[in-house]
PDB file of all heavy atoms in Angstrom:
ATOM      1  N   ILE F   1      79.226  25.532  94.214  1.00 96.00           N
ATOM      2  CA  ILE F   1      79.190  24.109  94.341  1.00 96.00           C
ATOM      3  C   ILE F   1      78.069  23.634  95.269  1.00 96.00           C
ATOM      4  O   ILE F   1      77.445  24.495  95.975  1.00 96.00           O
ATOM      5  CB  ILE F   1      80.549  23.557  94.945  1.00 96.00           C
ATOM      6  CG1 ILE F   1      80.704  24.131  96.294  1.00 96.00           C
ATOM      7  CG2 ILE F   1      81.672  23.907  94.002  1.00 96.00           C
ATOM      8  CD1 ILE F   1      82.034  23.626  96.975  1.00 96.00           C
ATOM      9  N   ASN F   2      77.822  22.324  95.276  1.00 97.00           N
ATOM     10  CA  ASN F   2      76.851  21.826  96.338  1.00 97.00           C
ATOM     11  C   ASN F   2      77.613  21.190  97.451  1.00 97.00           C
ATOM     12  O   ASN F   2      78.586  20.418  97.153  1.00 97.00           O
ATOM     13  CB  ASN F   2      75.885  20.843  95.682  1.00 97.00           C
ATOM     14  CG  ASN F   2      74.819  21.617  94.844  1.00 97.00           C
ATOM     15  OD1 ASN F   2      74.516  22.762  95.054  1.00 97.00           O
ATOM     16  ND2 ASN F   2      74.263  20.952  93.848  1.00 97.00           N
ATOM     17  N   VAL F   3      77.193  21.335  98.623  1.00 98.00           N
ATOM     18  CA  VAL F   3      77.873  20.753  99.834  1.00 98.00           C
ATOM     19  C   VAL F   3      76.865  19.838 100.489  1.00 98.00           C
ATOM     20  O   VAL F   3      75.759  20.261 100.896  1.00 98.00           O
ATOM     21  CB  VAL F   3      78.300  21.879 100.835  1.00 98.00           C
ATOM     22  CG1 VAL F   3      79.068  21.279 101.927  1.00 98.00           C
ATOM     23  CG2 VAL F   3      79.151  22.910 100.029  1.00 98.00           C
ATOM     24  N   ALA F   4      77.240  18.545 100.662  1.00 98.00           N
ATOM     25  CA  ALA F   4      76.362  17.599 101.325  1.00 98.00           C
ATOM     26  C   ALA F   4      77.013  17.201 102.714  1.00 98.00           C
ATOM     27  O   ALA F   4      78.197  16.850 102.795  1.00 98.00           O
ATOM     28  CB  ALA F   4      76.264  16.242 100.445  1.00 98.00           C
ATOM     29  N   ILE F   5      76.128  17.421 103.731  1.00 98.00           N
ATOM     30  CA  ILE F   5      76.655  17.148 105.115  1.00 98.00           C
ATOM     31  C   ILE F   5      75.727  16.047 105.686  1.00 98.00           C
ATOM     32  O   ILE F   5      74.544  16.284 105.968  1.00 98.00           O
ATOM     33  CB  ILE F   5      76.602  18.341 105.975  1.00 98.00           C
ATOM     34  CG1 ILE F   5      77.500  19.492 105.336  1.00 98.00           C
ATOM     35  CG2 ILE F   5      77.037  17.992 107.411  1.00 98.00           C
ATOM     36  CD1 ILE F   5      77.462  20.790 106.085  1.00 98.00           C
ATOM     37  N   ASP F   6      76.260  14.875 105.913  1.00 97.00           N
ATOM     38  CA  ASP F   6      75.472  13.811 106.501  1.00 97.00           C
ATOM     39  C   ASP F   6      76.058  13.458 107.858  1.00 97.00           C
ATOM     40  O   ASP F   6      77.123  13.847 108.242  1.00 97.00           O
ATOM     41  CB  ASP F   6      75.672  12.545 105.591  1.00 97.00           C
ATOM     42  CG  ASP F   6      74.893  12.648 104.356  1.00 97.00           C
ATOM     43  OD1 ASP F   6      73.714  13.105 104.273  1.00 97.00           O
ATOM     44  OD2 ASP F   6      75.458  12.313 103.242  1.00 97.00           O
ATOM     45  N   GLY F   7      75.270  12.708 108.574  1.00 96.00           N
ATOM     46  CA  GLY F   7      75.694  12.198 109.923  1.00 96.00           C
ATOM     47  C   GLY F   7      74.543  11.816 110.793  1.00 96.00           C
ATOM     48  O   GLY F   7      73.404  12.050 110.363  1.00 96.00           O
ATOM     49  N   PRO F   8      74.772  11.190 111.928  1.00 95.00           N
ATOM     50  CA  PRO F   8      73.730  10.652 112.814  1.00 95.00           C
ATOM     51  C   PRO F   8      73.038  11.752 113.580  1.00 95.00           C
ATOM     52  O   PRO F   8      73.443  12.986 113.491  1.00 95.00           O
ATOM     53  CB  PRO F   8      74.580   9.783 113.732  1.00 95.00           C
ATOM     54  CG  PRO F   8      75.838  10.412 113.873  1.00 95.00           C
ATOM     55  CD  PRO F   8      76.156  10.929 112.390  1.00 95.00           C
ATOM     56  N   ALA F   9      71.933  11.395 114.202  1.00 88.00           N
ATOM     57  CA  ALA F   9      71.129  12.373 115.029  1.00 88.00           C
ATOM     58  C   ALA F   9      71.966  13.051 116.088  1.00 88.00           C
ATOM     59  O   ALA F   9      72.740  12.447 116.739  1.00 88.00           O
ATOM     60  CB  ALA F   9      70.012  11.627 115.686  1.00 88.00           C
ATOM     61  N   GLY F  10      71.817  14.317 116.300  1.00 88.00           N
ATOM     62  CA  GLY F  10      72.382  15.094 117.313  1.00 88.00           C
ATOM     63  C   GLY F  10      73.875  15.512 117.077  1.00 88.00           C
ATOM     64  O   GLY F  10      74.559  15.967 117.918  1.00 88.00           O
ATOM     65  N   ALA F  11      74.296  15.313 115.807  1.00 92.00           N
ATOM     66  CA  ALA F  11      75.717  15.631 115.481  1.00 92.00           C
ATOM     67  C   ALA F  11      75.917  17.166 115.391  1.00 92.00           C
ATOM     68  O   ALA F  11      77.037  17.589 115.259  1.00 92.00           O
ATOM     69  CB  ALA F  11      76.193  14.935 114.298  1.00 92.00           C
ATOM     70  N   GLY F  12      74.834  17.909 115.283  1.00 90.00           N
ATOM     71  CA  GLY F  12      74.918  19.345 115.115  1.00 90.00           C
ATOM     72  C   GLY F  12      74.972  19.777 113.616  1.00 90.00           C
ATOM     73  O   GLY F  12      75.364  20.901 113.318  1.00 90.00           O
ATOM     74  N   LYS F  13      74.530  18.851 112.829  1.00 93.00           N
ATOM     75  CA  LYS F  13      74.497  19.127 111.285  1.00 93.00           C
ATOM     76  C   LYS F  13      73.759  20.388 110.927  1.00 93.00           C
ATOM     77  O   LYS F  13      74.270  21.188 110.195  1.00 93.00           O
ATOM     78  CB  LYS F  13      73.968  17.964 110.569  1.00 93.00           C
ATOM     79  CG  LYS F  13      74.716  16.608 110.713  1.00 93.00           C
ATOM     80  CD  LYS F  13      74.088  15.595 109.924  1.00 93.00           C
ATOM     81  CE  LYS F  13      72.651  15.241 110.079  1.00 93.00           C
ATOM     82  NZ  LYS F  13      72.297  14.780 111.422  1.00 93.00           N
ATOM     83  N   SER F  14      72.596  20.547 111.454  1.00 90.00           N
ATOM     84  CA  SER F  14      71.700  21.685 110.975  1.00 90.00           C
ATOM     85  C   SER F  14      72.340  23.018 111.382  1.00 90.00           C
ATOM     86  O   SER F  14      72.392  23.915 110.547  1.00 90.00           O
ATOM     87  CB  SER F  14      70.346  21.561 111.633  1.00 90.00           C
ATOM     88  OG  SER F  14      69.689  20.325 111.174  1.00 90.00           O
ATOM     89  N   THR F  15      72.806  23.136 112.584  1.00 91.00           N
ATOM     90  CA  THR F  15      73.426  24.382 113.053  1.00 91.00           C
ATOM     91  C   THR F  15      74.611  24.706 112.244  1.00 91.00           C
ATOM     92  O   THR F  15      74.825  25.921 111.710  1.00 91.00           O
ATOM     93  CB  THR F  15      73.846  24.303 114.487  1.00 91.00           C
ATOM     94  OG1 THR F  15      72.587  24.007 115.338  1.00 91.00           O
ATOM     95  CG2 THR F  15      74.429  25.587 114.956  1.00 91.00           C
ATOM     96  N   VAL F  16      75.517  23.734 112.051  1.00 96.00           N
ATOM     97  CA  VAL F  16      76.713  23.921 111.341  1.00 96.00           C
ATOM     98  C   VAL F  16      76.435  24.222 109.873  1.00 96.00           C
ATOM     99  O   VAL F  16      77.015  25.134 109.183  1.00 96.00           O
ATOM    100  CB  VAL F  16      77.657  22.716 111.506  1.00 96.00           C
ATOM    101  CG1 VAL F  16      78.842  22.845 110.502  1.00 96.00           C
ATOM    102  CG2 VAL F  16      78.248  22.697 112.889  1.00 96.00           C
ATOM    103  N   ALA F  17      75.557  23.426 109.270  1.00 96.00           N
ATOM    104  CA  ALA F  17      75.250  23.674 107.812  1.00 96.00           C
ATOM    105  C   ALA F  17      74.620  25.043 107.563  1.00 96.00           C
ATOM    106  O   ALA F  17      74.990  25.556 106.596  1.00 96.00           O
ATOM    107  CB  ALA F  17      74.273  22.540 107.307  1.00 96.00           C
ATOM    108  N   ARG F  18      73.833  25.481 108.431  1.00 94.00           N
ATOM    109  CA  ARG F  18      73.193  26.815 108.323  1.00 94.00           C
ATOM    110  C   ARG F  18      74.325  27.879 108.326  1.00 94.00           C
ATOM    111  O   ARG F  18      74.244  28.828 107.479  1.00 94.00           O
ATOM    112  CB  ARG F  18      72.255  27.042 109.403  1.00 94.00           C
ATOM    113  CG  ARG F  18      71.420  28.377 109.276  1.00 94.00           C
ATOM    114  CD  ARG F  18      70.504  28.648 110.473  1.00 94.00           C
ATOM    115  NE  ARG F  18      69.498  27.559 110.597  1.00 94.00           N
ATOM    116  CZ  ARG F  18      69.484  26.700 111.661  1.00 94.00           C
ATOM    117  NH1 ARG F  18      70.366  26.824 112.627  1.00 94.00           N
ATOM    118  NH2 ARG F  18      68.579  25.799 111.726  1.00 94.00           N
ATOM    119  N   LEU F  19      75.192  27.728 109.224  1.00 95.00           N
ATOM    120  CA  LEU F  19      76.359  28.682 109.257  1.00 95.00           C
ATOM    121  C   LEU F  19      77.311  28.625 108.154  1.00 95.00           C
ATOM    122  O   LEU F  19      77.805  29.743 107.677  1.00 95.00           O
ATOM    123  CB  LEU F  19      77.100  28.623 110.660  1.00 95.00           C
ATOM    124  CG  LEU F  19      76.243  28.919 111.857  1.00 95.00           C
ATOM    125  CD1 LEU F  19      77.005  28.495 113.129  1.00 95.00           C
ATOM    126  CD2 LEU F  19      75.881  30.416 111.914  1.00 95.00           C
ATOM    127  N   VAL F  20      77.559  27.418 107.670  1.00 97.00           N
ATOM    128  CA  VAL F  20      78.357  27.266 106.423  1.00 97.00           C
ATOM    129  C   VAL F  20      77.722  27.915 105.261  1.00 97.00           C
ATOM    130  O   VAL F  20      78.379  28.721 104.471  1.00 97.00           O
ATOM    131  CB  VAL F  20      78.598  25.759 106.168  1.00 97.00           C
ATOM    132  CG1 VAL F  20      79.255  25.622 104.742  1.00 97.00           C
ATOM    133  CG2 VAL F  20      79.518  25.163 107.176  1.00 97.00           C
ATOM    134  N   ALA F  21      76.405  27.727 105.111  1.00 95.00           N
ATOM    135  CA  ALA F  21      75.732  28.340 104.036  1.00 95.00           C
ATOM    136  C   ALA F  21      75.747  29.892 104.155  1.00 95.00           C
ATOM    137  O   ALA F  21      76.014  30.550 103.124  1.00 95.00           O
ATOM    138  CB  ALA F  21      74.241  27.840 104.027  1.00 95.00           C
ATOM    139  N   ARG F  22      75.619  30.396 105.335  1.00 94.00           N
ATOM    140  CA  ARG F  22      75.588  31.796 105.452  1.00 94.00           C
ATOM    141  C   ARG F  22      77.034  32.433 105.134  1.00 94.00           C
ATOM    142  O   ARG F  22      77.169  33.487 104.522  1.00 94.00           O
ATOM    143  CB  ARG F  22      75.234  32.221 106.977  1.00 94.00           C
ATOM    144  CG  ARG F  22      75.192  33.748 107.287  1.00 94.00           C
ATOM    145  CD  ARG F  22      74.885  33.900 108.664  1.00 94.00           C
ATOM    146  NE  ARG F  22      73.576  33.320 109.011  1.00 94.00           N
ATOM    147  CZ  ARG F  22      73.152  33.270 110.339  1.00 94.00           C
ATOM    148  NH1 ARG F  22      73.895  33.768 111.320  1.00 94.00           N
ATOM    149  NH2 ARG F  22      72.037  32.735 110.630  1.00 94.00           N
ATOM    150  N   LYS F  23      78.048  31.677 105.520  1.00 95.00           N
ATOM    151  CA  LYS F  23      79.410  32.139 105.242  1.00 95.00           C
ATOM    152  C   LYS F  23      79.800  32.128 103.739  1.00 95.00           C
ATOM    153  O   LYS F  23      80.502  33.003 103.324  1.00 95.00           O
ATOM    154  CB  LYS F  23      80.399  31.208 105.986  1.00 95.00           C
ATOM    155  CG  LYS F  23      81.728  31.905 106.250  1.00 95.00           C
ATOM    156  CD  LYS F  23      82.521  31.101 107.295  1.00 95.00           C
ATOM    157  CE  LYS F  23      83.831  31.698 107.666  1.00 95.00           C
ATOM    158  NZ  LYS F  23      83.718  32.943 108.555  1.00 95.00           N
ATOM    159  N   LEU F  24      79.132  31.259 103.039  1.00 95.00           N
ATOM    160  CA  LEU F  24      79.402  31.100 101.639  1.00 95.00           C
ATOM    161  C   LEU F  24      78.271  31.822 100.774  1.00 95.00           C
ATOM    162  O   LEU F  24      78.437  31.833  99.591  1.00 95.00           O
ATOM    163  CB  LEU F  24      79.400  29.609 101.210  1.00 95.00           C
ATOM    164  CG  LEU F  24      80.380  28.713 101.877  1.00 95.00           C
ATOM    165  CD1 LEU F  24      80.297  27.368 101.289  1.00 95.00           C
ATOM    166  CD2 LEU F  24      81.830  29.208 101.745  1.00 95.00           C
ATOM    167  N   SER F  25      77.341  32.502 101.463  1.00 93.00           N
ATOM    168  CA  SER F  25      76.209  33.092 100.697  1.00 93.00           C
ATOM    169  C   SER F  25      75.491  32.040  99.813  1.00 93.00           C
ATOM    170  O   SER F  25      75.087  32.296  98.723  1.00 93.00           O
ATOM    171  CB  SER F  25      76.645  34.219  99.932  1.00 93.00           C
ATOM    172  OG  SER F  25      77.038  35.368 100.709  1.00 93.00           O
ATOM    173  N   TYR F  26      75.371  30.794 100.431  1.00 95.00           N
ATOM    174  CA  TYR F  26      74.638  29.768  99.785  1.00 95.00           C
ATOM    175  C   TYR F  26      73.289  29.567 100.350  1.00 95.00           C
ATOM    176  O   TYR F  26      72.836  30.202 101.338  1.00 95.00           O
ATOM    177  CB  TYR F  26      75.403  28.455  99.937  1.00 95.00           C
ATOM    178  CG  TYR F  26      76.574  28.257  99.008  1.00 95.00           C
ATOM    179  CD1 TYR F  26      77.118  29.263  98.244  1.00 95.00           C
ATOM    180  CD2 TYR F  26      77.116  26.982  98.825  1.00 95.00           C
ATOM    181  CE1 TYR F  26      78.146  29.100  97.369  1.00 95.00           C
ATOM    182  CE2 TYR F  26      78.258  26.798  97.967  1.00 95.00           C
ATOM    183  CZ  TYR F  26      78.736  27.782  97.253  1.00 95.00           C
ATOM    184  OH  TYR F  26      79.744  27.660  96.463  1.00 95.00           O
ATOM    185  N   ILE F  27      72.443  28.686  99.708  1.00 93.00           N
ATOM    186  CA  ILE F  27      71.113  28.406 100.271  1.00 93.00           C
ATOM    187  C   ILE F  27      71.207  27.209 101.191  1.00 93.00           C
ATOM    188  O   ILE F  27      71.898  26.195 100.800  1.00 93.00           O
ATOM    189  CB  ILE F  27      70.197  28.072  99.128  1.00 93.00           C
ATOM    190  CG1 ILE F  27      69.992  29.354  98.252  1.00 93.00           C
ATOM    191  CG2 ILE F  27      68.880  27.544  99.610  1.00 93.00           C
ATOM    192  CD1 ILE F  27      69.226  29.142  96.935  1.00 93.00           C
ATOM    193  N   TYR F  28      70.637  27.183 102.315  1.00 94.00           N
ATOM    194  CA  TYR F  28      70.708  26.078 103.202  1.00 94.00           C
ATOM    195  C   TYR F  28      69.335  25.225 103.173  1.00 94.00           C
ATOM    196  O   TYR F  28      68.258  25.854 103.176  1.00 94.00           O
ATOM    197  CB  TYR F  28      70.885  26.647 104.684  1.00 94.00           C
ATOM    198  CG  TYR F  28      70.554  25.576 105.716  1.00 94.00           C
ATOM    199  CD1 TYR F  28      71.246  24.369 105.721  1.00 94.00           C
ATOM    200  CD2 TYR F  28      69.593  25.754 106.695  1.00 94.00           C
ATOM    201  CE1 TYR F  28      71.001  23.356 106.701  1.00 94.00           C
ATOM    202  CE2 TYR F  28      69.333  24.762 107.683  1.00 94.00           C
ATOM    203  CZ  TYR F  28      70.016  23.565 107.611  1.00 94.00           C
ATOM    204  OH  TYR F  28      69.810  22.636 108.617  1.00 94.00           O
ATOM    205  N   VAL F  29      69.480  23.995 103.080  1.00 94.00           N
ATOM    206  CA  VAL F  29      68.374  23.048 102.956  1.00 94.00           C
ATOM    207  C   VAL F  29      68.387  22.092 104.130  1.00 94.00           C
ATOM    208  O   VAL F  29      69.322  21.225 104.112  1.00 94.00           O
ATOM    209  CB  VAL F  29      68.290  22.375 101.596  1.00 94.00           C
ATOM    210  CG1 VAL F  29      67.042  21.410 101.612  1.00 94.00           C
ATOM    211  CG2 VAL F  29      68.165  23.278 100.446  1.00 94.00           C
ATOM    212  N   ASP F  30      67.469  22.183 105.093  1.00 91.00           N
ATOM    213  CA  ASP F  30      67.445  21.313 106.239  1.00 91.00           C
ATOM    214  C   ASP F  30      66.490  20.145 105.940  1.00 91.00           C
ATOM    215  O   ASP F  30      65.267  20.246 106.128  1.00 91.00           O
ATOM    216  CB  ASP F  30      66.893  22.138 107.378  1.00 91.00           C
ATOM    217  CG  ASP F  30      66.848  21.318 108.681  1.00 91.00           C
ATOM    218  OD1 ASP F  30      67.069  20.118 108.662  1.00 91.00           O
ATOM    219  OD2 ASP F  30      66.586  21.932 109.828  1.00 91.00           O
ATOM    220  N   THR F  31      67.032  19.083 105.395  1.00 94.00           N
ATOM    221  CA  THR F  31      66.242  17.935 104.972  1.00 94.00           C
ATOM    222  C   THR F  31      65.593  17.237 106.213  1.00 94.00           C
ATOM    223  O   THR F  31      64.538  16.675 106.136  1.00 94.00           O
ATOM    224  CB  THR F  31      67.037  16.948 104.191  1.00 94.00           C
ATOM    225  OG1 THR F  31      68.018  16.303 104.992  1.00 94.00           O
ATOM    226  CG2 THR F  31      67.703  17.528 102.973  1.00 94.00           C
TER     227      THR F  31
END
C-alpha cells in the first residue's frame, strides 16, 4: 500500500516515516 504522512514543520515526520518504511520494507520518499 501507499502511506501518506502529513503534518507541520518539526513534527518528526521524516524520522518516523523513514523508520516506518524500514519496518515495512517499503521505499521512503522525503518530499
Side-chain angles (χ1 to χ4, degrees):
I1 61 174
N2 286 333
V3 184
I5 302 177
D6 288 311
K13 300 184 301 295
S14 297
T15 301
V16 169
R18 185 183 301 112
L19 293 173
V20 168
R22 185 181 300 172
K23 204 167 183 72
L24 304 182
S25 290
Y26 279 15
I27 295 169
Y28 167 56
V29 178
D30 183 352
T31 66

